[in-house]
């Protein structure tokens, strides 16, 4: 993943050296088994540890091989003697070292001594004529030192590469000025080596040795190992690249431009914009740093990931990159900052800490994020275009192979006798549900013993009438939805199902045979809305809000939408809205989504219309300190108590005879009615 800035540049370069061949088996890429799903920062730290362990192991193996070199040399000196025993093989002895591959060897046999004597005599003659010994001249030539080329003038500017660092050095009046740059040619460290008494090469060697001593977490050292060597490079070329890198937009401008684009495309979470989220994350990070006692300074933070470009999907985390100035490892910082799990508006926050010496600053990291997200956006656009193209191709193919499925005509039928359509009146090709219901209601039920029915008919242009698909949906006072499970041509036709839904909505008094799907039931109530009372309309609105707010809780508390709407409507009619008002008040105060809080406030206003006693009390209450849905519960209380006391103290009047006779007559009549009712109940039971 070369685009991911959470992997160090050195580890990326190391990984690119390995070739992984394609391994396709039965159309499946078996290399997917090699994919590691760990977090990039953790994986990068592990790779760094692994490489250091391998380097130490290689050093130990190299030291062991050096210890075995004397024994190896002895074996090499013995090898020529063994090779002399191989028949037919030419072995070069010291006497034959000057022979070339094309030279021919002649066996002198018995004349060997004679030929050697003549050669000595010839050499002696050359010595006499030339005045000096040829052999001696050759020896002198061997002893004469080699002529050296003219020494180049000492250089005052040098450049080297070592591991993932570039180092430039130049001579100054007080010593040497040096700079240490990263692979992006931007300066990481530098200074003046104030020892003019040594050469420039010796100075650069001492600078590198000092780098190898400091810890790995130091930004200047990077990934320089003990065994790494300086590689000379062109000084002028390095300076040109460094100048071009520094001429790029300043980091502050890069970060500001990235954040400005985020503000345009970001979808707010709990009414928090990116800047507010970044400040919240900074506070969280600082608290974690203080609690852990880690010496680190927050440089800046930026919302990153898919949400910063409006590309998030359902369940996407909120990625925030935090640049820290510290010597701590990034993987250790990541574990510490994400240990408790920060959430904003119900969305999990993934904090990604970066340091300049490891991943780089925000100025270098955010452009990589931008490139990656642009690739994601382009890939989604390609997938969407491919999906649309595929759907169009499938539609064209379907229409060409099955022209009868291209277009259909859906109409309604009304029969006076649902069992035998040829008995009584029969109407067909009815275009709308309203017309069909009107005709169905006009059929007098007493005219014959048939059961009126409303049916649906699907006709495909270009086909015969007997190929139409038709079925009675309403018969008597029942709507049969079970039958649709056995007629896929009707159930799979969107227009037909829309008409059936409208038929159910138009006749709410009909009984339903079968299951009314959740989606269909919602459409039924939506179509019924214009004909409902205000209380029922409000009940439907409240039901849909509850469903959208917490679908799982809705399913736990309600078997169907119809039952839920009925219960809410009944509560509104009974003025029992206290629990609903408290629930909406909680959402309005503590809701996570702005739109939900707004809707809750609107419902509170509508529910207030179903508390008329409170309004009457506000107008007629005599004690304004007692507005509590109880009218005048405080006024005249004392006077009422005095009236009750006078009434209790007054002697009871003796009832008249007429009154007593009337009372007795009423008792007798009541007992008579009670006895008569008991007799009727016994008869019913029998």
């Amino acid at each position: 993943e070369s685009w991911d800035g959470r992997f160090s540049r050195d580890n990326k370069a190391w990984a690119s050296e390995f070739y992984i061949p394609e391994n396709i088996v039965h159309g499946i890429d078996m290399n997917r088994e090699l994919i590691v799903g760990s977090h990039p920062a953790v994986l990068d730290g592990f790779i760094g540890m692994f490489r250091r362990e391998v380097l130490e192991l290689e050093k130990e193996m190299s030291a062991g091989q050096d210890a075995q070199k004397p024994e190896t040399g002895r074996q090499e000196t013995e090898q020529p003697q063994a090779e002399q025993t191989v028949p037919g093989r030419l072995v070069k002895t010291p006497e034959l070292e000057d022979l070339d591959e094309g030279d021919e060897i002649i066996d002198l046999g018995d004349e060997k001594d004679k030929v050697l004597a003549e050669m000595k005599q010839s050499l002696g003659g050359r010595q006499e004529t030339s005045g000096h010994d040829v052999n001696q001249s050759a020896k002198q030539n061997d002893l004469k030192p080699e002529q050296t080329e003219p020494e180049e003038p000492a250089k005052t500017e040098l450049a080297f590469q070592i591991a993932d660092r570039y180092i430039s050095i130049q001579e100054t009046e007080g010593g040497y000025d040096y700079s240490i740059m990263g692979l992006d040619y931007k300066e990481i460290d530098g200074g003046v080596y104030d020892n003019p008494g040594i050469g420039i090469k010796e100075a650069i060697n001492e600078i590198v040795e000092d780098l190898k001593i400091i810890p790995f977490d130091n930004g200047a050292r990077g990934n320089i190992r003990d065994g790494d060597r300086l590689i000379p490079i062109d000084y002028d070329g390095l300076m040109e690249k460094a100048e071009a890198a520094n001429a790029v937009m300043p980091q502050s401008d890069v970060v500001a431009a990235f954040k400005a684009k985020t503000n345009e495309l970001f979808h707010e979470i709990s009414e928090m914009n990116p800047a507010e989220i970044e400040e919240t994350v900074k506070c969280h990070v600082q608290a974690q740093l203080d609690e852990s006692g880690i010496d680190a300074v927050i440089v800046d933070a930026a919302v990153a990931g898919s949400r910063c470009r409006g590309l998030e999907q359902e369940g996407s985390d909120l990625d925030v990159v935090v640049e820290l100035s510290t010597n701590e490892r990034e993987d250790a910082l990541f574990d510490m900052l994400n240990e408790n799990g920060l959430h904003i508006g119900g969305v999990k926050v993934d904090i990604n800490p970066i340091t300049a010496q490891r991943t780089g600053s925000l100025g270098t990291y955010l452009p990589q994020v931008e490139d990656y997200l642009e690739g994601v956006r382009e890939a989604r656009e390609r997938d969407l275009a491919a999906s649309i193209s595929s759907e169009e191709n499938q539609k064209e193919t379907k229409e060409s192979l099955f022209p009868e499925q291209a277009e259909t005509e859906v109409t309604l039928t009304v029969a006076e006798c649902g069992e035998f359509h040829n008995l009584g009146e029969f109407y067909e090709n009815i275009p709308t549900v309203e017309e069909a219901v009107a005709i169905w209601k006009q059929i007098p039920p007493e005219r014959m013993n048939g059961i009126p029915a409303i049916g649906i008919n699907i006709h495909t242009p270009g086909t015969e009438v007997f190929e139409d698909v038709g079925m009675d949906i309403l018969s008597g006072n029942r709507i049969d939805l079970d039958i649709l499970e056995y007629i896929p041509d009707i159930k799979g036709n969107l227009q037909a199902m829309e008409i059936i839904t409208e038929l159910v909505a138009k006749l709410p008094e009909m009984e339903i045979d079968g299951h009314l799907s959740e989606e269909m039931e919602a459409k039924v109530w939506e179509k019924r809305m214009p004909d409902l009372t205000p209380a029922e309309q409000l009940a439907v609105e409240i039901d849909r809000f509850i469903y959208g707010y917490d679908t799982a809780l809705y399913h736990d508390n309600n078997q169907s939408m119809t039952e839920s709407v009925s219960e809410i409507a009944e509560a509104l009619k009974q003025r029992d809205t206290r629990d609903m008002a408290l629930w909406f008040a909680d959402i309005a105060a503590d809701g996570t989504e702005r739109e939900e809080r707004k809707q809750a406030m609107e419902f509170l206003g509508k529910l207030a219309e179903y508390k008329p006693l409170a309004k009457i009390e506000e107008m007629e209450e005599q004690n304004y300190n007692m507005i509590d849905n109880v009218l005048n519960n405080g006024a005249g209380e004392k006077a009422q108590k005095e009236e009750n006391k006078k009434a209790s103290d007054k002697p009871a009047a003796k009832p008249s005879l007429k009154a007593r006779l009337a009372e007795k007559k009423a008792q007798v009549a009541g007992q008579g009615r009670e006895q008569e009712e008991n007799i009727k109940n016994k008869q019913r039971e029998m």
Side-chain angles (χ1 to χ4, degrees):
E1 300 180 357
S2 58
W3 50 265
D4 198 333
R6 290 173 287 187
F7 291 103
S8 67
R9 300 183 184 92
D10 189 44
N11 284 340
K12 291 178 183 177
W14 169 78
S16 64
E17 298 174 357
F18 295 91
Y19 169 69
I20 301 178
E22 190 176 41
N23 184 14
I24 304 298
V25 178
H26 299 298
I28 300 174
D29 187 2
M30 302 305 294
N31 286 336
R32 64 183 182 180
E33 301 295 334
L34 305 177
I35 297 175
V36 179
S38 301
H39 192 278
V42 178
L43 181 59
D44 184 65
F46 171 77
I47 293 173
M49 295 172 58
F50 169 76
R51 292 181 61 197
R52 286 194 290 273
E53 291 294 333
V54 171
L55 182 61
E56 294 297 328
L57 182 60
E58 289 176 350
K59 288 181 179 179
E60 294 177 2
M61 295 175 63
S62 178
Q65 291 176 357
D66 292 341
Q68 295 177 0
K69 281 184 178 179
E71 181 180 354
T72 305
R74 184 168 62 254
Q75 294 176 355
E76 291 176 352
T77 56
E78 296 173 355
Q79 185 66 22
Q81 298 178 2
E83 290 178 351
Q84 291 176 2
T85 62
V86 180
R89 180 174 179 182
L90 173 62
V91 179
K92 289 187 178 181
T93 60
E95 295 85 354
L96 303 177
E97 286 180 354
D98 295 332
L99 289 177
D100 295 330
E101 289 295 333
D103 294 341
E104 182 179 2
I105 301 176
I106 301 174
D107 187 3
L108 298 177
D110 297 335
E111 298 182 359
K112 177 179 178 181
D113 295 337
K114 180 179 178 181
V115 173
L116 290 176
E118 290 177 357
M119 291 177 65
K120 290 179 180 180
Q121 184 178 0
S122 174
L123 291 173
R126 288 182 58 188
Q127 182 179 4
E128 293 173 357
T129 57
S130 63
H132 64 276
D133 191 347
V134 177
N135 294 333
Q136 184 67 25
S137 176
K139 293 177 181 179
Q140 291 177 355
N141 289 336
D142 292 339
L143 296 174
K144 186 177 180 179
E146 296 180 358
Q147 291 184 353
T148 59
E149 296 180 1
E151 186 174 342
E152 296 181 2
K155 294 185 177 181
T156 59
E157 297 175 338
L158 293 175
F160 300 89
Q161 180 179 1
I162 178 169
D164 60 346
R165 293 290 179 262
Y166 295 112
I167 303 177
S168 65
I169 186 169
Q170 58 183 351
E171 188 175 343
T172 61
E173 294 181 359
Y176 301 97
D177 187 7
Y178 69 94
S179 297
I180 301 173
M181 293 169 275
L183 294 177
D184 56 357
Y185 302 104
K186 293 186 178 180
E187 185 173 350
I188 299 174
D189 198 359
V192 177
Y193 193 81
D194 53 354
N195 187 1
I198 64 174
I200 189 171
K201 290 187 177 180
E202 186 177 355
I204 191 67
N205 287 332
E206 292 192 7
I207 292 172
V208 172
E209 290 302 321
D210 291 342
L211 282 176
K212 292 180 179 179
I213 295 175
I214 61 180
F216 277 102
D217 291 334
N218 186 280
R221 176 172 182 174
N223 292 299
I224 298 176
R225 312 295 176 181
D226 294 338
D228 293 338
R229 297 290 180 262
L230 288 167
I231 302 173
I233 59 176
D234 180 47
Y235 177 86
D236 293 334
L238 178 61
M239 291 298 101
E240 290 178 2
K241 293 178 180 178
E243 183 178 357
N246 293 324
V248 179
M249 184 188 301
Q251 289 191 10
S252 58
D253 295 342
V254 172
V255 176
F258 185 91
K259 290 186 175 182
K261 191 172 182 180
T262 299
N263 289 332
E264 296 177 5
L265 303 175
F266 185 79
H267 301 143
E268 289 188 351
I269 300 176
S270 295
E271 297 185 3
M272 294 180 67
N273 57 38
E276 294 171 336
I277 291 175
E278 290 163 2
E279 289 301 319
T280 302
V281 173
K282 285 182 183 179
C283 294
H284 173 77
V285 171
Q286 188 62 57
Q288 295 295 103
L289 293 174
D290 295 341
E291 182 179 350
S292 303
I294 294 177
D295 184 15
V297 177
I298 300 175
V299 179
D300 199 359
V303 175
S306 59
R307 290 186 178 272
C308 76
R309 293 298 175 263
L311 300 173
E312 72 274 10
Q313 297 178 341
E314 185 178 358
S316 294
D317 292 342
L318 173 60
D319 296 321
V320 180
V321 184
V322 181
E323 180 183 351
L324 298 170
S325 176
T326 180
N327 290 329
E328 296 291 335
R329 295 177 58 87
E330 289 182 357
D331 53 349
L333 291 169
F334 176 85
D335 293 339
M336 183 269 294
L337 296 177
N338 292 281
E339 181 178 5
N340 296 329
L342 176 64
H343 290 75
I344 296 179
V347 178
K348 183 180 180 298
V349 180
D350 189 1
I351 303 175
N352 179 23
I354 63 173
T355 57
Q357 62 267 25
R358 189 68 175 174
T359 300
S361 63
L362 282 176
T364 58
Y365 178 75
L366 292 180
Q368 301 177 31
V369 175
E370 188 72 76
D371 293 341
Y372 166 69
L373 294 176
E374 181 64 21
V376 172
R377 184 189 63 78
E378 292 177 355
R380 289 187 182 177
E381 289 180 352
R382 288 194 300 268
D383 293 343
L384 179 60
S387 176
I388 295 174
S389 176
S390 176
E391 291 178 0
E392 292 178 350
N393 292 336
Q394 290 179 1
K395 183 178 180 181
E396 292 176 359
T397 303
K398 183 177 180 180
E399 291 178 354
S400 61
L401 294 177
F402 309 101
E404 69 278 3
Q405 297 182 12
E407 294 290 342
T408 57
E409 297 176 356
V410 181
T411 56
L412 293 164
T413 62
V414 176
E416 186 174 357
C417 178
E419 187 174 4
F420 301 103
H421 288 179
N422 57 345
L423 296 179
E425 298 179 2
F426 179 73
Y427 306 88
E428 56 185 345
N429 297 325
I430 304 172
T432 64
V433 173
E434 285 189 13
E435 294 180 31
V437 172
I439 295 172
W440 176 75
K441 288 183 176 181
Q442 290 176 359
I443 298 176
E446 68 278 359
R447 189 163 61 189
M448 59 181 298
N449 292 326
I451 301 176
I454 298 178
I456 192 166
N457 186 80
I458 300 177
H459 173 72
T460 302
T463 62
E464 299 295 334
V465 176
F466 67 85
E467 297 182 60
D468 291 357
V469 178
M471 178 60 61
D472 286 344
I473 301 299
L474 182 147
S475 181
N477 63 343
R478 310 186 74 86
I479 295 177
D480 190 359
L481 298 181
D482 269 340
I483 195 67
L484 298 178
E485 298 295 331
Y486 305 97
I487 311 175
D489 289 334
I490 296 179
K491 188 175 182 180
N493 190 299
L494 296 179
Q495 185 181 358
M497 293 304 297
E498 189 70 20
I499 289 177
I500 294 174
T501 301
E502 186 176 355
L503 181 64
V504 175
K506 288 289 184 182
L507 300 171
E509 67 277 7
M510 297 293 107
E511 297 183 15
I512 305 295
D513 289 337
H515 175 66
L516 196 65
S517 68
E518 193 173 82
E519 181 181 2
M520 186 176 183
E521 189 175 18
K523 288 183 178 180
V524 167
W525 279 102
E526 181 181 352
K527 293 180 181 295
R528 287 178 182 172
M529 284 290 282
D531 301 327
L532 299 179
T533 64
E536 291 172 336
Q537 291 179 353
L538 180 58
V540 173
E541 294 176 5
I542 293 175
D543 173 85
R544 291 298 85 191
F545 178 84
I546 298 172
Y547 179 84
Y549 184 78
D550 193 338
T551 306
L553 180 63
Y554 180 90
H555 288 151
D556 290 342
N557 296 335
N558 302 285
Q559 293 183 357
S560 67
M561 179 179 175
T562 301
E563 293 181 355
S564 173
V565 171
S566 299
E567 291 179 2
I568 297 173
E570 184 64 24
L572 293 174
K573 292 176 183 177
Q574 297 296 330
R575 317 282 182 191
D576 184 13
T577 60
R578 182 175 179 276
D579 291 339
M580 282 188 285
L582 291 176
W583 187 70
F584 281 119
D586 290 341
I587 297 176
D590 304 325
T592 58
E593 299 293 337
R594 180 180 180 181
E595 187 63 26
E596 290 176 351
R597 296 199 298 271
K598 181 180 177 182
Q599 291 179 352
M601 291 297 297
E602 292 176 356
F603 281 121
L604 284 173
K606 293 179 180 180
L607 288 176
E609 299 178 5
Y610 291 88
K611 296 170 63 177
L613 183 58
K615 294 186 177 181
I616 295 173
E617 185 181 6
E618 291 175 6
M619 293 185 293
E620 300 185 6
E621 177 67 55
Q622 298 180 20
N623 185 354
Y624 290 103
N625 293 327
M626 298 294 290
I627 303 295
D628 54 0
N629 284 342
V630 180
L631 187 62
N632 291 333
N633 58 321
E637 194 171 304
K638 184 176 180 181
Q640 184 65 37
K641 289 182 178 180
E642 292 178 355
E643 287 285 337
N644 295 338
K645 186 176 181 182
K646 289 180 180 180
S648 61
D649 294 341
K650 186 177 180 180
K654 186 175 181 180
S656 63
L657 179 61
K658 184 178 180 180
R660 283 182 290 173
L661 290 174
E663 182 179 357
K664 186 65 175 177
K665 185 178 179 181
Q667 290 179 355
V668 173
Q671 292 176 357
R673 285 196 298 270
E674 184 176 355
Q675 291 176 357
E676 184 179 354
E677 186 66 25
N678 290 335
I679 294 172
K680 289 183 179 179
N681 288 337
K682 290 181 180 180
Q683 291 176 348
R684 292 193 191 100
E685 291 176 0
M686 293 176 62

